[in-house]
């Protein structure tokens, strides 16, 4: 039983590494932390296109904040 | 992947908002401007707005106007189409590297994930959307 769990963990780790590299090559801007949150949202059935709209919206919002927080 | 995998969607969306807040210095902002907590709330509101508007758009009006021809294309084929575009643009190394990684990506249950193709679809949707690196002069 433990070996099956280990095998699955290794498979997930391998898959995450490859997904992170694909993400980097596609220039998505996701780091490992954001990517793993997105994977878990997809695993819970969130629509990928809707999730990409969320990420772009969050980037817009935090970008405008960072611009505001620049010293004049 | 973070240890607890039973987080709810709301917790995960909140964590995504946290990720967006990295890189903002809150000391000065808290004095005269928006606090981290209130901005985090505003981010969550925008996240749910974007999520729900997308979901309802897909649900009510059927195929969205101008739905691209690739909407129903399997995500792996979409990545291969990007590889083709990279080759046409002369980026042979990136194209080969991407194809290699796509080949390496375990399929279905061998990936350990239920929705590996949905994640790939997400990456395709976000392709080229990385914000420019902050200028450092």
């Amino acid at each position: 039983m433990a070996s099956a769990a280990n095998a699955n963990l290794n498979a997930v780790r391998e898959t995450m590494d490859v997904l992170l590299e694909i993400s980097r090559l596609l220039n998505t801007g996701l780091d490992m932390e954001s990517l793993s949150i997105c994977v878990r949202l997809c695993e819970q059935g969130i629509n990928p296109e809707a999730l990409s709209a969320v990420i772009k919206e969050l980037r817009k919002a935090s970008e405008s904040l960072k611009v505001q927080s620049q010293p004049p | 992947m973070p240890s607890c995998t039973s987080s709810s969607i709301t917790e995960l969306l909140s964590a995504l908002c946290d990720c967006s807040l990295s890189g903002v210095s809150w000391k000065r902002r808290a004095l005269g401007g928006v606090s981290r907590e209130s901005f985090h709330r505003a981010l969550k509101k925008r996240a749910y707005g974007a999520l729900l508007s997308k979901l309802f758009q897909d649900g009510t009006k059927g195929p969205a106007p101008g739905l691209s021809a690739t909407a129903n294309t399997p995500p792996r084929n979409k990545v291969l189409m990007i590889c083709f575009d990279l080759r046409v643009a002369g980026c042979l190394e990136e194209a080969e590297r991407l194809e290699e990684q796509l080949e390496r990506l375990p399929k279905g249950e061998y990936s350990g994930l239920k929705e590996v193709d949905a994640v790939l679809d997400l990456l395709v949707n976000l392709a080229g959307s990385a914000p420019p690196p902050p200028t450092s002069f």
Side-chain angles (χ1 to χ4, degrees):
Chain A
M1 184 64 179
S3 67
N6 275 344
N8 187 65
L9 198 58
N10 288 334
V12 171
R13 206 172 278 143
E14 157 87 5
T15 299
M16 288 301 292
D17 287 343
V18 175
L19 285 171
L20 185 63
E21 181 60 7
I22 290 175
S23 174
R24 190 188 64 77
L25 288 165
L26 291 178
N27 195 26
T28 66
L30 294 176
D31 57 20
M32 181 53 111
E33 183 182 7
S34 308
L35 177 61
S36 65
I37 293 169
C38 289
V39 165
R40 285 153 68 198
L41 282 164
C42 287
E43 291 281 286
Q44 300 213 29
I46 292 291
N47 173 291
E49 210 178 323
L51 185 50
S52 70
V54 168
I55 288 167
K56 290 172 185 172
E57 185 68 21
L58 290 179
R59 281 179 181 161
K60 254 191 299 183
S62 58
E63 210 48 49
S64 64
L65 177 76
K66 284 172 190 168
V67 168
Q68 285 166 38
S69 69
Q70 299 300 332
Chain B
M1 202 130 97
S3 56
C4 79
T5 52
S6 59
S7 304
S8 69
I9 289 175
T10 48
E11 287 165 337
L12 290 169
L13 283 173
S14 182
L16 209 52
C17 294
D18 278 330
C19 289
S20 300
L21 291 179
S22 61
V24 177
S25 68
W26 290 98
K27 288 191 216 67
R28 195 175 334 111
R29 289 211 59 72
L31 290 176
V34 180
S35 72
R36 190 184 199 287
E37 287 68 30
S38 58
F39 193 74
H40 189 271
R41 267 196 309 274
L43 276 187
K44 274 205 288 191
K45 210 168 143 191
R46 287 183 63 167
Y48 283 110
L51 187 64
L52 296 174
S53 69
K54 196 70 194 169
L55 294 180
F56 286 129
Q57 171 198 320
D58 290 354
T60 51
K61 287 185 280 175
L67 182 71
S68 73
T70 61
N72 295 321
T73 306
R76 284 173 189 262
N77 291 13
K78 289 180 186 174
V79 176
L80 290 174
M81 291 159 86
I82 291 174
C83 292
F84 176 79
D85 292 341
L86 285 170
R87 286 181 187 282
V88 168
C91 308
L92 303 186
E93 218 177 291
E94 287 90 342
E96 277 163 12
R97 179 92 183 127
L98 193 49
E99 282 164 3
E100 189 189 298
Q101 292 302 310
L102 190 62
E103 200 53 47
R104 264 188 73 204
L105 186 65
K107 294 184 171 64
E109 62 188 82
Y110 299 105
S111 68
L113 301 179
K114 290 180 297 177
E115 300 288 349
V116 64
D117 278 354
V119 177
L120 205 51
D121 214 1
L122 170 71
L123 299 183
V124 167
N125 275 288
L126 287 172
S129 71
T135 47
S136 58
F137 51 83

